[in-house]
Each structure stands twice: as C-alpha cells, then as structure tokens.
Amino acid sequence: MAIYHLSVSNVSRASGSKATATLSYISGRRVHDERRGETYDYGRKERVLRVGTLLPEGAPAEYADPAVLFNAVELHETGRTARPAKKIVVALPREFTPRQRVQALEEYIRENLNADGYAATYAIHEDREGNNPHAHILVANRQIDPATGGWARLKQRMEYVLDERGERVPLIDPETGRQKTDKRGRRQWKRTSVSLNPLDRKAKLKALRESWANTCNARLDETARIDHRSLEDQGSDLEPTIHEGYAARAIERAGGVSERCQTNREIRRSNSLLTAVRAELGRIFDRLGELFAAKIGRLRRRQARPEPAEPNWRYFEGDARRQLEADKADHTAAIRGKLMDARADVGNREEWWRSHGTEEHEAAKQIIDVARAASREARDANIFKRGRLLRNAEQVAGEQSERLRRAVPWLEDADIPADWDQANRFRMRTTKAIYDHDMQPRTRLVAELERRLEQAERAESERPSPEQVKALALRMAEQRAQAENPTQDTKRPAPSGDEPLDLSEPEDWGEASPFESRQAPRTKADLLNEIRQRTDRLTGQREAEQRQIDPWSAQPPQRRGHGR
C-alpha cells in the first residue's frame, strides 16, 4: 500500500554537514571537496538505483555533473553558518514501476524546483530487501540567474521589527534601560534577518508537500491514493504512528524487538480494527437501505396491481425438467468445444513461436544485440582500451534502451545493462516477457473456459431445483393458455429485480429454446420431436466442422486424360 512521506532538512556548516559529503552519501560515488581539499566516498552503492541532475533555465552546462554543481555552491557560500544546500527525502509508492519512479521524480523537480531557478540532484534508493523505495533530492540552496548563469546575489536582508501598531521597536540597553544610540547619537532600532529564499518560507514547504502527493496520485489507482495532510487536518480520529528511525529498524532486522516499532505495530493494529469495523457497519447500513427500498417497491406494486391467478403448471412439470437437463447438456458441450479450440490455438501459437517468433521479439533481439556487441568488445579489450570502450558501451546501451522503449512500449524494464553478462540475462528476460505477453490472452481464455466447464459439469450433475422447474413449467402453461385464448392477457407483471436468477432462460447459444417460439398448443410427443431435431441439427453442424478440409493440407485435384 502506498504511504506518504516528505521531509526537508538543511545542509548547514554550523552543524558540520557539507553539500559534497551529502552528495557522496546519496549517490554512492567518490566526491572531492575543492573548498576543503577532502575526498568523500561512503554510502552503500548497492542501494543506489539511479542518479540524475536537473538544471533550471540558463544554468551552465557543466553543472550537469553533480560534483561540479555542489562544489560551485560550496565555494560561493563563504559564511561559517552558511546553508549551501537542502535535502528533501520522499517515499516512493511501491505500486510504481522503475520508469514511473523516474518520471514522477523528474516532473516534481522541474515543476517545483527548476521552475524557481534551483538546480537539484536526485538519487533513488532501496533497502536490502527492496521494501523501502525512496529518493533523496539534494537542492542547491541558491537560485541561478537565468540572464547571467551565475548565482543570485541575495538570500536574505535586514528589516526593522514592527510592533502590533506597525511602529519600529527600539533597541533597549539592559544596563541603562534606555534606547541605544550609535557614536553619532542616532537612535538604534531592533532589526531582524528576513530570508529572500523561497525554500525557507513556510508556504513554499507546504506547496512542496502537496505537489508531491498530487504528482504521485496522478499515477496511482483511486484505491491507492496518498494524502499529504496529517490525520488531524483530514478530520480523522485514527491514531498517527511515531517515527521509528534507522536504529529501531536495525534492532528489528537483528532479531530484536524495538519499543518504537512495537508501538507502531499496536497503533496499526488498532487503526485497522477501527477501519474494518467502520467498513462493516457501512456495508450493513447500505444493505439495510437496499432491502428496505426493495420491500417498499414490492408493497407499492402489490397495492397498484392485484396478483394474477397462477395457471396449472403441473401438466408441464416433466417436460420442463427434461428441457432444463437438455439445456445444461448443450451448454456443457458448447463450452467443451470452445475449450478444445482454445487449447489447439495455444499449441499452434507455441509451435509458431518455436519456428518464427514475433515482430516485437525480432526487433528487440536486434536492438539488444547491438548493445551486447559493444559490451562484449569492452569486455575483451585490453587494459588500455577498456575504459574508453566501457564508456562507449554505456552510451550504446542508453541509446538502444530508448529504441527498445519505442519498439516495445509496453515493456516495463527496458534499460539494457552495459555489462556483457547482465546484457545476456536481460536478453533472456526480455524474450520471456515478450513470449508471456503474446501468450497471455490465449492462456487466460483456456483458464476461463476450464473454469466455466467445471461449473457447467457440476451444474449438469445436479438435478434442476424445484423453483427452476416450476418457473419454466409456468411459462409453458402461460403460453398454452395464451394459445387457447389469444384475447386473454396472460402477461406476468414486470420484474422487480428481486426475483431469483432463472437458469432456464437460454443464453447466447445460437438459437432459443423450442418453448419460446411456440404459437400453438402441442403434445408431449411434439415437444420431444423438436428437442430431437434440435439435437440432430447441432450434431450435424459439429460433424460438418470436423469434416471441413484444411486448405494447407489439401492435395490439388488430379486432372485425367491430359497428363504427359
């Protein structure tokens, strides 16, 4: 289930943090700090799935390298308490595919950060089990001037402090109790530093939280939507969970029991119980409303029209039972024939795959083989050429990945690895994915027909219920009475929708029941004759289909008297 999380923190020199060190941690790469002359290389590289940098309009092209970008902002910020960057951490919904994660992140950064002149680098992480997908967004905490391509000049300014009447507040000397003055005798007033950086404003932070929820919800199903508001703002009385933290989760992974994690488990258990109780009460009240409305409707119809006299249906009881059994048998035979055709279609398609494949498969193999050739060349190269050829293999893999996405747009994983072994495994996975995608409609049809056949055989082995027999016999008796007296109105009242399902109604099997089109009273012998004729007609159709000549295996006719 998708969860919402977004937190913003400062990379501040006063607390000992540096933008370059933070970049090394989130990207899992070695980063050299030019201002301090130090090199940072920490962070678990196996957790980093993707790293990207997005720049605003007018930014220098070299800032596309995150190391160059955050070294530049570190060198520009000279204060001891400077905050060169901000870090935003967001939780990625588990429902997202790898491609949707990247799309959501880049759309969010462009609309909320690049549009205001900020450059940012993002890194997508997962834990060891792949259960905690999240992203770190490192933002340079100074805007870029699109006209010059340099950093904006001011991030804050000094303003006078005003009281409730809008007047300046004097600066009082604690020793004398009077207003302070400078050397020239001018009075001093209280002043405060006001940030001109939009990222330091509360309204901007609220907009960032809401925008991330909207970006994710645009790609999520209605049942998995997330909400950036707190439970209190949502008007919910569910108890919120507490922050667990890395240390508490480490205790749990080591086999221990963390107090914070245990508290959250109890909170989730009570919240889920409360939610289930409310949902069950809602279903009960909805059902009560439906039953009450149906009861009122039946009472009103009964008052408006008296119940017609029930005709004598016992005379047709045996015919109705036999007709129901024959309909069930016909239905089972029709499903069995469709199942045989579907299985034959699956076998033919598998044979076709072994000998031909599909256009998408051939196109994907050709695209992947181009990247495999580049990776094989890099693998077999000597030590002097390997670096250049590895970079070339990565470039070719990226270009071929874009071609693969255009050739097979429904393929979820279209990122071709630049490594030879991984590219071979990727080729096998892609072949299996294309095969499964092509065979899925046919295998799904076979499974559905097997399920329907099992239901039909189970229904065929059961005797028709008395209600079904009576319903069909009544219709036969009504048709008999209407045929004897055409002027008499024997129509049944309009159904209310609350009646039980009548299985005697013929489905879409090619023709209706013989009892539906009868215009004159007939004997039991006539009815049995019609059933026998219908059975013979269906049997003849099946035999004709089986005798149909296959045009691919038919031999040409032999011409007599003209051969040489």
Side-chain angles (χ1 to χ4, degrees):
M1 179 180 178
I3 61 172
Y4 179 86
H5 173 77
L6 186 146
S7 61
V8 182
S9 59
N10 287 305
V11 177
S12 175
R13 288 180 187 166
S15 60
S17 56
K18 295 167 281 295
T20 50
T22 305
L23 174 64
S24 174
Y25 172 75
I26 69 170
S27 64
R29 302 174 180 175
R30 182 188 297 269
V31 179
H32 179 73
D33 191 328
E34 299 176 2
R35 186 179 69 89
R36 298 176 61 89
E38 299 176 353
T39 300
Y40 307 103
D41 186 11
Y42 48 80
R44 287 166 285 185
K45 298 179 178 59
E46 69 274 5
R47 294 177 56 187
V48 182
L49 303 182
R50 185 184 178 97
V51 178
T53 300
L54 300 178
L55 302 177
E57 181 182 357
E62 59 268 20
Y63 285 178
D65 185 349
V68 176
L69 170 64
F70 289 100
N71 266 302
V73 74
E74 281 281 358
L75 291 172
H76 186 79
E77 301 292 346
T78 58
R80 291 180 300 174
T81 60
R83 295 178 296 176
K86 288 185 182 291
K87 186 171 68 172
I88 304 174
V89 181
V90 295
L92 296 169
R94 298 180 183 177
E95 292 81 357
F96 279 0
T97 63
R99 189 175 183 182
Q100 287 177 323
R101 295 175 182 176
V102 176
Q103 290 176 346
L105 269 176
E106 293 188 351
E107 177 184 332
Y108 176 74
I109 293 173
R110 289 192 185 97
E111 293 182 356
N112 296 277
L113 300 174
N114 293 159
D116 292 338
Y118 294 100
T121 295
Y122 69 86
I124 300 176
H125 289 194
E126 273 189 352
D127 60 7
R128 187 174 303 173
E129 294 79 13
N131 295 327
N132 183 25
H134 62 282
H136 298 260
I137 306 173
L138 189 61
V139 188
N141 199 20
R142 186 177 286 270
Q143 295 165 302
I144 295 178
D145 189 351
T148 63
W151 301 106
R153 291 187 177 183
L154 294 178
K155 287 200 304 183
Q156 60 185 12
R157 66 184 179 188
M158 301 300 294
E159 291 185 354
Y160 288 108
V161 177
L162 303 180
D163 57 14
E164 62 275 3
R165 295 177 295 178
E167 298 179 354
R168 291 181 294 178
V169 177
L171 185 62
I172 304 299
D173 188 347
E175 296 181 357
T176 62
R178 298 179 180 179
Q179 185 176 0
K180 287 185 177 182
T181 57
D182 59 8
K183 295 180 179 180
R184 299 182 180 180
R186 293 176 298 186
R187 291 180 294 178
Q188 300 294 305
W189 307 92
K190 283 186 178 182
R191 294 196 299 174
T192 184
S193 175
V194 178
S195 175
L196 300 179
N197 185 10
L199 286 180
D200 291 332
R201 298 175 184 172
K202 190 174 182 180
K204 179 63 176 178
L205 297 180
K206 289 184 177 180
L208 287 175
R209 292 180 57 83
E210 183 177 359
S211 179
W212 176 244
N214 295 336
T215 302
C216 293
N217 288 335
R219 294 168 172 81
L220 289 173
D221 187 71
E222 292 183 359
T223 59
R225 298 292 175 85
I226 58 178
D227 198 328
H228 68 284
R229 300 172 299 172
S230 64
L231 292 175
E232 182 179 358
D233 294 338
Q234 297 178 33
S236 173
D237 55 357
L238 296 177
E239 184 179 358
T241 56
I242 62 176
H243 179 68
E244 295 177 355
Y246 176 80
R249 296 194 183 101
I251 293 174
E252 295 278 332
R253 284 195 296 270
V257 178
S258 169
E259 182 178 353
R260 302 183 72 85
C261 293
Q262 181 63 25
T263 301
N264 275 345
R265 281 193 288 269
E266 294 175 358
I267 292 174
R268 293 190 188 98
R269 191 180 301 112
S270 61
N271 285 344
S272 62
L273 179 59
L274 179 59
T275 303
V277 170
R278 287 177 175 173
E280 187 63 26
L281 286 175
R283 285 192 292 270
I284 292 174
F285 283 118
D286 291 343
R287 184 56 181 163
L288 287 175
E290 294 173 0
L291 294 175
F292 182 75
K295 183 67 174 178
I296 293 298
R298 286 195 296 270
L299 290 175
R300 288 177 178 175
R301 286 189 293 272
R302 187 177 301 170
Q303 293 174 359
R305 181 176 57 248
E307 289 290 337
E310 187 177 81
N312 183 15
W313 55 273
R314 292 289 183 182
Y315 178 78
F316 298 93
E317 184 176 4
D319 295 337
R321 182 177 290 103
R322 286 186 289 273
Q323 175 63 26
L324 288 173
E325 293 174 352
D327 288 345
K328 289 181 181 180
D330 292 344
H331 184 44
T332 303
I335 295 178
R336 189 177 291 109
K338 293 179 181 178
L339 178 59
M340 293 175 61
D341 294 341
R343 287 173 176 169
D345 185 37
V346 171
N348 294 337
R349 192 60 179 178
E350 289 177 349
E351 183 67 25
W352 174 268
W353 255 94
R354 284 192 289 268
S355 57
H356 296 83
T358 62
E359 294 181 0
E360 286 185 342
H361 181 226
E362 293 299 326
K365 284 199 304 183
Q366 295 177 6
I367 293 171
I368 297 172
D369 287 344
V370 174
R372 288 174 66 241
S375 62
R376 183 176 62 249
E377 183 180 2
R379 183 199 63 177
D380 298 338
N382 57 37
I383 192 173
F384 301 101
K385 298 181 180 180
R386 186 170 300 166
R388 178 176 59 82
L389 292 179
L390 282 174
R391 290 191 295 273
N392 178 65
E394 293 177 356
Q395 181 180 358
V396 172
E399 294 172 354
Q400 297 302 109
S401 298
E402 292 299 325
R403 290 188 57 195
L404 182 60
R405 292 189 185 95
R406 293 193 295 270
V408 191
W410 52 264
L411 190 63
E412 293 185 359
D413 184 10
D415 295 329
I416 305 175
D419 181 73
W420 166 253
D421 296 330
Q422 295 180 5
N424 288 333
R425 290 192 290 270
F426 177 82
R427 188 174 184 268
M428 296 174 62
R429 291 197 307 270
T430 303
T431 299
K432 185 178 184 304
I434 296 176
Y435 172 81
D436 293 341
H437 183 268
D438 184 63
M439 296 296 295
Q440 185 179 14
R442 296 171 175 83
T443 55
R444 187 188 298 118
L445 177 60
V446 169
E448 176 63 19
L449 290 174
E450 288 176 347
R451 184 187 63 81
R452 291 174 56 186
L453 179 61
E454 182 181 357
Q455 293 179 351
E457 290 176 345
R458 190 184 308 115
E460 185 180 3
S461 62
E462 298 174 355
R463 292 177 59 84
S465 65
E467 293 80 8
Q468 297 172 355
V469 174
K470 180 179 178 181
L472 182 56
L474 276 172
R475 288 166 47 204
M476 296 166 64
E478 290 173 358
Q479 292 175 0
R480 175 69 175 272
Q482 185 177 9
E484 292 177 350
N485 188 7
T487 60
Q488 183 180 357
D489 185 11
T490 58
K491 292 183 179 180
R492 297 181 62 86
S496 63
D498 298 323
E499 292 82 8
L501 181 62
D502 185 7
L503 298 180
S504 63
E505 288 288 340
E507 299 180 3
D508 187 14
W509 298 341
E511 59 182 317
S513 169
F515 303 103
E516 295 292 316
S517 58
R518 187 171 67 181
Q519 299 298 331
R522 301 182 183 180
T523 63
K524 292 184 179 181
D526 296 333
L527 297 177
L528 290 175
N529 189 28
E530 281 191 6
I531 294 173
R532 189 177 299 106
Q533 291 177 0
R534 177 182 176 185
T535 304
D536 294 340
R537 188 163 57 253
L538 291 175
T539 305
Q541 291 177 358
R542 295 193 184 111
E543 291 177 355
E545 292 174 357
Q546 292 175 359
R547 292 195 304 268
Q548 186 177 6
I549 298 176
D550 185 4
W552 298 103
S553 61
Q555 299 295 329
Q558 300 294 332
R559 296 185 295 178
R560 300 181 182 275
H562 297 281
R564 294 183 179 178

